[in-house]
Amino acid sequence: MSAMMRGNVRMALSGVRSAKWRSILTMTGVIVGIVAVVTVVGIGEGVKRQVSNQLDHFGTDLITVRPGQTAKNNSLMGAGNTDVIFGMGSVSGLTNNDVEVIEHAGGARAVAPLGVVTGSVQVDSKTFNDVPVLAANRYLPEALNQKVAFGDFWGEKNETAATAVIGKDVAADLFEENVPLGRTFTLRGQTFVVRGVFDGFDSVPFSPTGNFDHSIFIPYQTAAALTHNDAGLYTVLVKPDDPNNIASTVKGITANLREAHGGQQDFMVLGPHQTMETGSHVLKLLTTWIVAVAAISLFIGGVGIMNTMLLSVTERMHEIGVRKAIGATSRQILGQFVLEATVLSVVGGVIGIALALAVDGLLYTYSDLKPVISWNAIGIAFGVSLAVGIIFGAAPAIKASRKDPIEALRHE
């Protein structure tokens, strides 16, 4: 680095330190923009990794059937977007007849419907209104590749029994013990006996499937009798006979369901890769909106830098005149002020990156989100902050470099 460059860097840093509050306010837009970009990209990558890990746990041969319909360009219409895995919370468009159609489509070794049963749960003298109660059949553990940590899951003989398997959080929250086998609870006037406790589920943020640890599972036929066949069926999980025949199984299920629905495809049959794409589509939309907001923030930050540098040029007009009078060239003056603007922007970028890493660390430690540090995003953020300084500092620098030394010396 030349002596001139080192001098300009020292002057730029000195200028930032001499007007700390003005510099901080000037950098705020850049800081906010960088924090937004780095944090959102980290969260997005983390969620995608969590979704991928959950799908890997469930198995690369899991087929999901949901209400709604697919549209072109991999976008989704209708219900199902709120859950990147199973579409929980969507308006049900599936029926018990659809489950039978899927079972007879061929190529499936396990068909597990999942429905929602509304109502509060009573344990002893306490009432719990926020515990999801899900209706499932005996194939659920196989479909999800999920183990029962304590006790066991019900079999074919218990499909109409008042029995239940619960998530590990339910055991602690409702029964205040880890293995409440044999304990009872009441739902819609029916007493159920706990026969098993699931091992912990891999959770995904923004996805109600993360509530499986806090859910109660009861037999689907029991739920149908309890609700007079009104258990909201929101998805059907299918495991094919042969993992290599996923495509043909999906095709067969789709054809049979379309025929059963009178030629209407008001449902989705998704293989594991399509399920991943569904989640990625939702995350991309979220990321796009927040990156757009970050871009606006960066633009405002750039305008702030430009205004500050224009003010600095006006305040230091006499200094510019002195430097030009003793031999400084227009190019050297130009370089000095561009460098000062760049220092402002880059310092803001570094602060923004540090804050984003701190935010990611806090989210990782204290929430279900597990952000992944994206060095590409950090590199791009640093490059953007550098570019903002150069681009928005150019106009004030050009103004300073074009000043006549005599006029500049006369300036008060």
Side-chain angles (χ1 to χ4, degrees), residues 86-111:
F86 296 142
M88 184 187 291
S90 61
V91 178
S92 180
L94 299 175
T95 65
N96 293 334
N97 182 61
D98 292 327
V99 178
E100 296 179 5
V101 169
I102 294 169
E103 289 174 339
H104 292 92
R109 77 171 188 271
V111 177

Side-chain angles (χ1 to χ4, degrees), residues 9 11-31 34 301-310 312 316 336-352 385-386 388-390 392-393 396:
V9 171
M11 290 177 65
L13 292 174
S14 176
V16 172
R17 286 194 296 267
S18 63
K20 292 180 182 178
W21 287 111
R22 187 169 73 182
S23 298
I24 290 172
L25 291 174
T26 300
M27 293 185 292
T28 299
V30 175
I31 292 171
I34 296 300
V303 172
I305 289 173
M306 182 184 291
N307 288 336
T308 297
M309 292 309 300
L310 286 171
S312 180
R316 297 162 61 187
Q336 175 191 343
F337 281 93
V338 167
L339 184 59
E340 289 187 18
T342 303
V343 166
L344 268 177
S345 184
V346 168
V347 170
V350 170
I351 293 173
S385 66
L386 183 66
V388 166
I390 294 172
F392 287 91

